[in-house]
Amino acid sequence: MANVTIHPARKVQGEISVPGDKSISHRALFLGALARGTTRITQGLDAADCRTTARALEDLGVEIRREKGAVLVEGRGGKFSKPQRELEMGNSGTTTRLLLGILAGQPFGATLKGDPSLSARPMGRVTEPLSAMGAQVGGPNGKDRLPLTIQGGALRGIRYALPVPSAQVKSALLLAGLFAQGPTTVVEPAVTRDHTERILKRFGADLAVEGTAVTVRPGAKLKGQDLRIPGDISSAAFFLAAAAIVPDSRVTVSGVGLNPTRTGFLELLKRMGAKIEMTCHDAVHEEWEPTGNVSVSFSPLAGIVVEKPFIPAVIDELPIFLTVATQAKGQTVVRGAGELRVKETDRIRSMVSGLTALGAKIRSEGETITVEGPTPLKGAGVDSLGDHRTAMALGVAGLAAQGPTTVRGSEWVEISFPGFFETLKGLARR
Ligand code: S3P
């Protein structure tokens, strides 16, 4: 296991770009594989989770190659080959759930397995509706946990109201819908990231969005595309947060994705009183993903309340948001954040224990997290608990602490952001 030691920063300063968006990179690989012709992906994320997707697709007969800084995917026109071995999902929930959707439409059986963290995460949310569409899914631990074997085939379109807001489940069903008889409609209880809708349109799918209902109709021919992936706003959030909590700081992240379903963290920072400047290069309503530059400068922050309907807009940024809340004046309350308990680790538990070790006043009860601030943090040993975003959120807390902070299990950042701690240290002035 690797450790990283973070020293307190006098200020955090600089302009950076961040690796490609993880959600969009996965989808670019999947859609490239589903389409006809070649898809050329530039600035895609090259990290463990996306490599898991690429490897699984290769096991399904997809040719993927690297050429002059681009990744080229040779589309199979929706028809894959039966894999010769079990498909390894590693730590990646997005790979697993989206791939289950695609495999539901394939006329062969395939088995998916994952690491211990992924094998403890709920899969029934996708396997139940896929079964309702006609796929056969099961495994030694039932339908809700990996390992799972899925036998796809003739699917029927369904109308399905998601019991929990989840872009992964929505995406799995829309991808399965490409192979179904008749339309498939997914109704969301709250808005979640819409990357699948955008990329399906870009590839030429027959897709309609009406309020909270998304409908895909089968039959359209998907065509390979040339895709440039924006920087990941969820990765940028760590550095923007650092600038928001360390006095005298200013950080700019350029070329970052500004899809409105992903910028919730910036809204929360603004509500707390952070100084944010944003320039968006493209119209946000365009079919592809809008990008731009975001700068955050330090200013004193105040605690806020985040209610349940807002949770999907900041689901991946909640760990770093809790770090920020320790430095805001007064009480910050996050309600309805139960989905955090079924991420790569129970992120309520991992963040409450890590920030408590650093001296923060933070507590949780069920789905509610309460933070009292501002607390002067004191450097200590903390643990990623095998979770990339916990490792990064605690690392940023270390910049605002007195004395050194050691993050155990720092190698988990490889899941979404190789080189994270080097970038963080490059911005920190001691
Ligand atoms: C993702 C959706 C979210 C998010 C995850 C990526 C996606 O998960 O937390 O990091 O790419 O669709 P849920 O769908 O489980 O909320």
Side-chain angles (χ1 to χ4, degrees):
M1 201 196 305
N3 290 345
V4 159
T5 299
I6 302 291
H7 295 279
R10 192 168 35 80
K11 62 176 174 180
V12 183
Q13 200 174 41
E15 176 163 351
I16 53 165
S17 53
V18 291
D21 188 280
K22 180 155 87 72
S23 291
I24 304 172
S25 299
H26 282 298
R27 287 157 171 81
L29 291 166
F30 281 130
L31 266 293
L34 282 164
R36 280 163 207 238
T38 307
T39 286
R40 185 168 173 276
I41 305 168
T42 47
Q43 293 178 19
L45 176 62
D46 185 13
D49 266 13
C50 294
R51 278 187 226 131
T52 294
T53 291
R55 212 171 303 127
L57 288 170
E58 284 170 343
D59 285 347
L60 290 161
V62 181
E63 194 193 315
I64 300 177
R65 52 184 207 282
R66 259 157 232 288
E67 217 172 85
K68 292 187 207 135
V71 170
L72 302 180
V73 184
E74 291 305 328
R76 304 256 316 190
K79 292 195 178 81
F80 299 103
S81 311
K82 182 175 167 60
Q84 296 306 305
R85 53 176 182 177
E86 293 182 338
L87 298 171
E88 181 52 71
M89 300 291 102
N91 191 246
S92 180
T94 307
T95 308
T96 310
R97 296 192 177 117
L98 271 59
L99 190 58
L100 282 167
I102 291 172
L103 290 173
Q106 300 298 312
F108 54 75
T111 298
L112 285 64
K113 63 182 169 101
D115 73 4
S117 153
L118 186 63
S119 305
R121 297 178 64 188
M123 295 298 156
R125 50 181 63 190
V126 34
T127 55
E128 294 293 345
L130 289 176
S131 300
M133 292 177 81
Q136 287 167 31
V137 202
N141 310 313
K143 270 189 186 181
D144 197 30
R145 292 286 185 274
L146 291 182
L148 286 167
T149 298
I150 181 161
Q151 169 67 53
L155 301 180
R156 49 191 169 271
I158 53 170
R159 183 180 176 87
Y160 188 72
L162 295 180
V164 283
S166 163
Q168 292 178 356
V169 180
K170 169 176 68 175
S171 303
L173 302 184
L174 294 175
L175 293 174
L178 294 174
F179 299 97
Q181 287 274 334
T184 295
T185 300
V186 184
V187 184
E188 302 195 273
V191 178
T192 67
R193 62 193 68 193
D194 67 355
H195 304 303
T196 299
E197 294 90 311
R198 285 175 186 254
I199 204 167
L200 278 170
K201 278 192 201 153
R202 171 78 181 247
F203 275 77
D206 181 351
L207 188 100
V209 181
E210 246 179 89
T212 58
V214 189
T215 300
V216 68
R217 288 187 170 75
K221 300 255 181 291
L222 306 185
K223 253 185 63 198
Q225 299 291 315
D226 204 336
L227 302 172
R228 187 191 168 103
I229 311 294
D232 196 324
I233 183 87
S234 299
S235 297
F238 296 101
F239 308 112
L240 300 174
I245 62 174
V246 178
D248 292 334
S249 298
R250 180 181 166 86
V251 166
T252 299
V253 183
S254 50
V256 68
L258 293 175
N259 177 318
T261 62
R262 291 286 299 283
T263 50
F265 179 67
L266 301 178
E267 284 173 53
L268 294 188
L269 279 187
K270 203 186 257 169
R271 279 179 56 206
M272 289 178 128
K275 272 195 235 154
I276 303 182
E277 292 152 57
M278 199 159 102
T279 49
C280 194
H281 302 325
D282 338 74
V284 291
H285 57 267
E286 274 182 10
E287 276 180 17
W288 190 235
E289 299 283 349
T291 58
N293 300 346
V294 183
S295 306
V296 172
S297 315
F298 174 81
S299 70
L301 304 178
I304 57 170
V305 177
V306 182
E307 300 286 2
K308 186 168 180 160
F310 201 76
I311 297 297
V314 285
I315 187 68
D316 289 340
E317 292 75 38
L318 283 173
I320 185 62
F321 175 71
L322 295 174
T323 295
V324 172
T326 69
Q327 301 309 303
K329 190 171 175 204
Q331 196 174 64
T332 293
V333 184
V334 178
R335 294 204 184 95
E339 274 296 298
L340 277 188
R341 295 208 184 272
V342 291
K343 293 298 176 186
E344 285 79 335
T345 186
D346 173 345
R347 285 185 176 154
I348 296 185
R349 189 172 71 89
S350 67
M351 288 308 296
V352 168
S353 87
L355 290 174
T356 301
L358 295 173
K361 290 189 190 126
I362 177 168
R363 59 182 191 277
S364 67
E365 206 189 317
E367 300 202 324
T368 304
I369 312 155
T370 307
V371 184
E372 310 281 347
T375 15
L377 301 178
K378 280 220 285 293
V382 292
D383 205 311
S384 71
L385 295 173
D387 177 355
H388 55 128
R389 297 198 204 280
T390 298
M392 295 188 267
L394 294 175
V396 171
L399 292 179
Q402 284 169 357
T405 295
T406 298
V407 181
R408 287 186 293 270
S410 54
E411 74 277 12
W412 283 96
V413 302
E414 296 290 324
I415 291 295
S416 64
F417 196 155
F420 169 79
F421 285 109
E422 289 74 13
T423 305
L424 190 67
K425 287 179 177 177
L427 290 173
R429 306 279 175 271
R430 287 176 69 181

